[in-house]
Amino acid sequence: MGPTRPSMQELIGRRRRAGFVGRTAERAAFRGNFAVPAEDERHRFLFHVHGDAGVGKTRLVRELEQIAREAGALTAYVDEGVAGVPEAMTEMARQFASQGRRFKDLERLLAAHRERRHEAAAALAPGPAEDREGPSAGSLAVARAAQAGLGMIPVAGAFAAALDTDGLAHGADRLRARFRSQEDAQLVLSPEQVLTPVLLSELAGAADAVPWIVLLLDTYERTGPFLDPWLHDVMTTDRYGALPADVVVVTSGQHPFDTVRWGSFADFMTDLPLGPFTEEEARGLLADKGVRDEPVVAEVLRLTGGLPVLVSTLAESGPVGPGDVGDPSATAVDRFLKWERDPVRRAAALAGALPRRLDEDAFRSAVDGPGDQADALFAWLRGMPFVSEHGGRLRYHDVVRAPMLRLQRLRSPEAWTGRHTRLAEAYRRRRARAEGDLRPDEPWADEGWRELRLGETHHLLCARPRAALAGTLADLVTACGYGEDAVRPWVRVLAEAGEDTDAEALRTWGADLAAALAGGGLAGLLRLLLGRARGDEPWRATAWALRADALARDGAPGPALEDYDRALALDPALVRAHRGRAVTLGATGDYAGALAGLDRLLELEPDNAWNVVLRGEHHRLARHHAEAVADLSEGIARDPAGEFAWASRGAAHERHGDLDAALADFDRALALKPDYAWALARRARVWRGLGDQVRRLADLDRALALQPDWAWGRCERGDALRVNGRDTEALADYDRALELDPEYASAYASRGASLSALGRHEEALADLDRALALNPEYPWALETRARVRQRLADRALPPT
């Protein structure tokens, strides 16, 4: 029995779904694409919808989504409700699950991302350091600080100080809030690197079960700054892996397709520019809504200019005769609500336009009247054509909302200020209630709390733009400690408040901060803030420290140290600046300076156990054995569950030759955290000292299975293979180590030894020369080079 054919009524229903009229060519092009195999040159992988506000882009995108579903596609729709790539993936996974397709691996990693980000926001991200003889300049670079924090390269590790806040890490429970693996670090510092390959793998699995997968990215003028570079990489490169050919992407925004970034990809996409409805299309929509009286139709056409959202709004209100056509000079708001006779509803529609994103709680605060009446009004408003709903919240179309706000602002500035002040107070009360469920250090790390703070800030800016700006910028600086995804909503709130209030200063701040963030990341944004600071802002010290953190992570220790000094000149007791400066000094090999800074840090925070552990780690790096063991033992006494302190003390014992104590400490660290790659690799050194080459290699194999792109770990395993006579296998590890760190002196020296053992003495000599150029005082490399030279000389001697 074949598939059931749809009835005429069903087909007509599809065509008239949600009152959709027009855009026939656009819908036909999209629908026809599903009949063209992905391998066919006519197939298009990307559709870009663009046009001015009010031309019906979102409505068309939603219609395209429905067309895709009718073709059997798995779909996901994303709009400006997301503030970053991880949030976009979260929304995609949620929608896929609602269609019966769980992306379980992605969901697991997204949950871990949220958890790790929350943890990192409440504590430093510590990591072990390495003190191998002859560390390369490259491996000491702070540019690789994020990886170093997990022992991926041999440098001191607490470089994620940008995630710190001034009141961090009081108590043992907070010391456990740290990165657990390389993946954990990347989930916080570069989540796209971890999440995107998993998304692509999940999409590939889904492509085996459905004919098409369609991703629809709306309001691209707002989401494009962070989604477009990522989407370009996903669709045009193999940076994250392969994207299934059965994926079709729809983007929609006010701006045309970016041919500069996408280049020749234009051959694989379809451009869908939208303008106002034609008169025929507008008349068709009005007729579909029962509006056929010619004078009324003519007036609607004149007032709306064919903008679909306005045509639909006026049609929905149902004018019935020429008498309903008012004065052509009526305000824009009167046009939208012209035929709504109930003054209570009219007032509610105006009040509901005040919040950027309207939920029932905000609506009750905005409107006047009893609660049951507010519920009925909210239900009525939900059905209006100019309102869209997403995640339980309503959003007015900008074309309708803007004149509604302008009318209220100009009609009664005092009432405007009063309403926004009342809304700000309502958000403040909700925020205070939310704080009751959080620890004192948690609010800024909690997305729900931040959302309420943003709502409060928006209405404070609308009520009194000049007065609220300073506090908003202070909050923006605080948000910088939580990453770019946390910062974007604060940049956006300035821009949006500037539009709502017609305040040029706020608009300028929003636009300039957005450009600085897009072009220079957090360091660029903070540079702009500090450049415009008047000199008396209390947030300047924190801003300098945050900028220093960003510079340190980006591989600029010199400028970072200068900024830390600026921060401390403004606030000599700023904990995060002392901690970040000390760690940066340690990363450059200045252990004396780092230890002096950590001593000062402990004067400021004597009860912070992590500071003691951090000082112990730097004593270990400086080869102050007794001091290292003393500090690390104190840290362990304060928090026996802190695996880093156990591993660091184990490394100190191993270097001092106390192998039994080292083995006990590494065993304890690994009991607390079995996937602790650095502890495994360092325990391998203990097995080396005990002469157990089997266990040595086993631990290194486990460590590299956890962190395959780890230069030091590769070199360690190469050494283990080399001493076992497996030089050919060792070369593969040395080669990979040098791919990861081209200035790794020890890897050059070790590779030279293996090459010589294989009879390739000239190549060996070149590697050893390179090692000594990087580290002229490298004794083992000097000795090995002398032996290789002797072998070459012996080989050149004539036979006797």
Side-chain angles (χ1 to χ4, degrees):
M1 185 175 179
T4 303
R5 297 183 63 188
S7 66
M8 179 184 296
Q9 292 85 345
E10 288 173 325
L11 291 174
I12 293 174
R14 290 180 188 176
R15 296 183 188 181
R16 299 177 60 184
R17 184 172 42 248
F20 197 93
V21 174
R23 311 309 185 197
T24 303
E26 292 84 356
R27 288 182 290 162
F30 186 73
R31 182 182 290 109
N33 196 54
F34 293 125
V36 180
E39 297 81 4
D40 193 306
E41 291 185 357
R42 296 170 298 166
H43 182 80
R44 294 295 178 259
F45 299 104
L46 174 65
F47 288 78
H48 183 61
V49 179
H50 62 94
D52 294 336
V55 297
K57 297 184 297 293
T58 294
R59 176 166 288 198
L60 175 60
V61 170
R62 286 299 198 180
E63 175 67 8
L64 299 184
E65 180 181 28
Q66 187 60 37
I67 290 171
R69 290 197 177 186
E70 290 170 359
L74 187 68
T75 71
Y77 170 89
V78 174
D79 63 9
E80 65 187 281
V82 302
V85 173
E87 288 187 22
M89 292 192 206
T90 299
E91 187 61 25
M92 291 176 189
R94 183 190 67 79
Q95 294 183 37
F96 291 149
S98 71
Q99 296 165 64
R101 183 76 193 188
R102 290 284 302 278
F103 282 22
K104 294 182 180 178
D105 289 342
L106 180 61
E107 290 174 6
R108 174 185 61 81
L109 279 177
L110 285 166
H113 162 69
R114 291 189 291 271
E115 182 180 350
R116 295 294 88 77
R117 186 171 64 179
H118 182 87
E119 290 174 352
L124 280 172
E130 178 46 44
D131 50 47
R132 182 185 181 89
E133 293 153 336
S136 69
S139 65
L140 285 174
V142 185
R144 304 176 65 185
Q147 290 82 7
L150 294 158
M152 290 174 61
I153 57 173
V155 293
F159 293 106
L163 298 172
D164 189 17
T165 56
D166 289 341
L168 291 183
H170 292 287
D173 60 323
R174 301 185 65 190
L175 295 179
R176 293 193 268 283
R178 62 175 63 114
F179 297 151
R180 294 163 172 79
S181 66
Q182 175 191 359
E183 183 178 271
D184 282 352
Q186 289 183 315
L187 278 172
V188 173
L189 299 171
S190 53
E192 294 89 347
Q193 301 294 325
V194 179
L195 296 170
T196 308
V198 178
L199 171 65
L200 297 185
S201 176
E202 299 269 29
L203 288 171
D208 293 335
V210 296
W212 300 98
I213 300 171
V214 178
L215 307 179
L216 305 107
L217 309 177
D218 202 2
T219 57
Y220 214 56
E221 68 275 8
R222 292 190 173 101
T223 60
F226 56 87
L227 283 182
D228 198 57
W230 171 80
L231 183 66
H232 178 268
D233 281 346
V234 167
M235 295 188 71
T236 68
T237 76
D238 59 359
R239 177 180 180 185
Y240 300 114
L243 180 68
D246 298 329
V247 173
V248 176
V249 177
V250 177
T251 55
S252 172
Q254 294 183 7
H255 309 303
F257 185 66
D258 184 0
T259 54
V260 175
R261 166 170 284 150
W262 289 81
S264 61
F265 196 82
D267 294 338
F268 305 93
M269 59 84 66
T270 293
D271 192 55
L272 298 178
L274 298 187
F277 271 167
T278 65
E279 180 175 338
E280 181 182 359
E281 288 172 327
R283 285 180 176 275
L285 188 149
L286 290 169
D288 189 61
K289 296 294 184 180
V291 180
R292 296 182 174 86
D293 187 80
E294 185 54 34
V296 176
V297 170
E299 179 65 358
V300 169
L301 294 175
R302 187 186 68 81
L303 293 176
T304 64
L307 281 179
V309 67
L310 304 187
V311 175
S312 179
T313 296
L314 295 186
E316 191 70 29
S317 55
V320 296
D324 288 327
V325 180
D327 183 352
S329 65
T331 67
V333 175
D334 284 338
R335 297 175 188 176
F336 307 145
L337 300 175
K338 176 180 291 291
W339 292 286
E340 178 53 64
R341 301 299 189 186
D342 186 345
V344 175
R345 284 185 172 180
R346 291 171 64 92
L350 290 171
L354 296 175
R356 292 295 298 184
R357 293 158 191 83
L358 186 66
D359 58 22
E360 291 192 53
D361 291 329
F363 186 71
R364 290 190 185 93
S365 300
V367 302
D368 300 314
D372 56 346
Q373 186 181 41
D375 292 343
L377 290 170
F378 190 77
W380 164 77
L381 191 60
R382 180 184 280 122
M384 293 298 288
F386 56 79
V387 172
S388 60
E389 185 169 2
H390 182 70
R393 297 181 181 179
L394 306 184
R395 179 175 176 82
Y396 283 41
H397 196 291
D398 288 342
V399 170
V400 176
R401 182 172 179 267
M404 286 186 172
L405 295 180
R406 186 166 58 250
L407 174 69
Q408 296 178 82
R409 191 176 65 246
L410 297 178
R411 176 181 290 171
S412 176
E414 186 173 340
W416 168 270
T417 298
R419 283 186 180 276
H420 279 293
T421 300
R422 187 170 70 186
L423 279 162
E425 177 59 22
Y427 272 104
R428 188 200 63 78
R429 290 193 300 268
R430 292 169 64 183
R431 178 172 60 83
R433 287 194 296 271
E435 286 176 9
D437 298 326
L438 301 171
R439 295 197 308 269
D441 61 291
E442 283 189 317
W444 274 97
D446 184 81
E447 293 180 19
W449 182 92
R450 289 204 306 265
E451 184 66 27
L452 294 171
R453 180 88 167 195
L454 280 165
E456 177 186 1
T457 299
H458 171 78
H459 292 294
L460 288 174
L461 287 168
C462 288
R464 295 178 176 84
R466 292 175 61 88
L469 178 60
T472 304
L473 295 179
D475 278 357
L476 177 66
V477 170
T478 301
C480 286
Y482 300 85
E484 290 189 18
D485 287 356
V487 170
R488 287 190 190 98
W490 289 96
V491 173
R492 187 183 298 168
V493 81
L494 281 162
E496 290 177 344
E499 293 298 327
D500 289 356
T501 61
D502 195 27
E504 186 59 32
L506 297 185
R507 262 199 302 266
T508 300
W509 269 110
D512 292 351
L513 287 168
L517 184 64
L522 291 178
L525 180 142
L526 288 162
R527 183 186 305 113
L528 174 67
L529 278 170
L530 289 163
R532 292 187 180 177
R534 296 190 308 272
D536 57 349
E537 290 88 346
W539 46 260
R540 284 191 306 142
T542 299
W544 280 117
L546 283 165
R547 184 166 182 264
D549 294 337
L551 289 168
R553 288 198 312 276
D554 290 341
L561 290 171
E562 292 176 3
D563 282 0
Y564 284 128
D565 289 342
R566 290 188 179 100
L568 291 170
L570 292 168
D571 183 356
L574 184 58
V575 166
R576 76 172 307 132
H578 280 288
R579 184 182 289 116
R581 184 177 185 277
V583 170
T584 303
L585 287 170
T588 62
D590 184 359
Y591 300 128
L595 288 166
L598 291 167
D599 286 341
R600 175 58 178 149
L601 184 62
L602 277 163
E603 292 175 7
L604 295 169
E605 278 192 338
D607 297 329
N608 185 339
W610 171 242
N611 293 338
V612 179
V613 174
L614 191 59
R615 188 174 67 178
E617 169 68 359
H618 281 77
H619 274 304
R620 182 185 76 80
L621 291 168
R623 302 191 180 183
H624 304 157
H625 177 71
E627 294 87 344
V629 170
D631 275 348
L632 293 167
S633 297
E634 181 182 345
I636 288 169
R638 293 192 189 189
D639 179 20
E643 72 279 354
F644 169 71
W646 288 100
S648 183
R649 193 175 72 174
H653 285 314
E654 184 271 328
R655 171 168 288 283
H656 198 61
D658 191 348
L659 299 183
D660 290 337
L663 187 59
D665 279 352
F666 285 129
D667 286 348
R668 180 59 176 161
L670 288 162
L672 291 166
K673 182 183 174 185
D675 62 349
Y676 197 168
W678 189 79
L680 285 164
R682 289 309 298 247
R683 189 173 69 175
R685 286 193 164 190
V686 178
W687 297 127
R688 180 189 65 183
L690 294 172
D692 192 335
Q693 297 298 334
V694 174
R695 287 181 174 173
R696 179 187 182 189
L697 270 171
D699 272 357
L700 288 168
D701 287 343
R702 285 181 59 198
L704 286 168
L706 292 165
Q707 293 181 195
D709 296 333
W710 182 15
W712 180 74
R714 289 282 179 182
C715 194
E716 285 287 296
R717 190 171 68 176
D719 288 348
L721 292 166
R722 177 172 53 81
V723 299
N724 280 281
R726 298 161 63 179
D727 289 285
T728 301
E729 295 171 76
L731 287 179
D733 273 337
Y734 295 139
D735 289 346
R736 181 58 180 149
L738 289 167
E739 286 177 14
L740 295 165
D741 184 356
E743 296 185 339
Y744 196 169
S746 295
Y748 281 111
S750 292
R751 188 171 71 175
S754 278
L755 286 168
S756 182
L758 293 168
R760 297 159 61 180
H761 302 304
E762 289 84 358
E763 295 174 71
L765 193 59
D767 271 354
L768 288 160
D769 287 344
R770 176 62 175 154
L772 287 163
L774 291 166
N775 183 12
E777 305 299 325
Y778 193 169
W780 185 77
L782 286 166
E783 296 167 5
T784 304
R785 185 172 69 174
R787 289 194 296 270
V788 173
R789 282 176 171 172
Q790 184 60 50
R791 289 170 188 159
L792 283 169
D794 291 345
R795 191 172 66 179
L797 289 174
T800 58

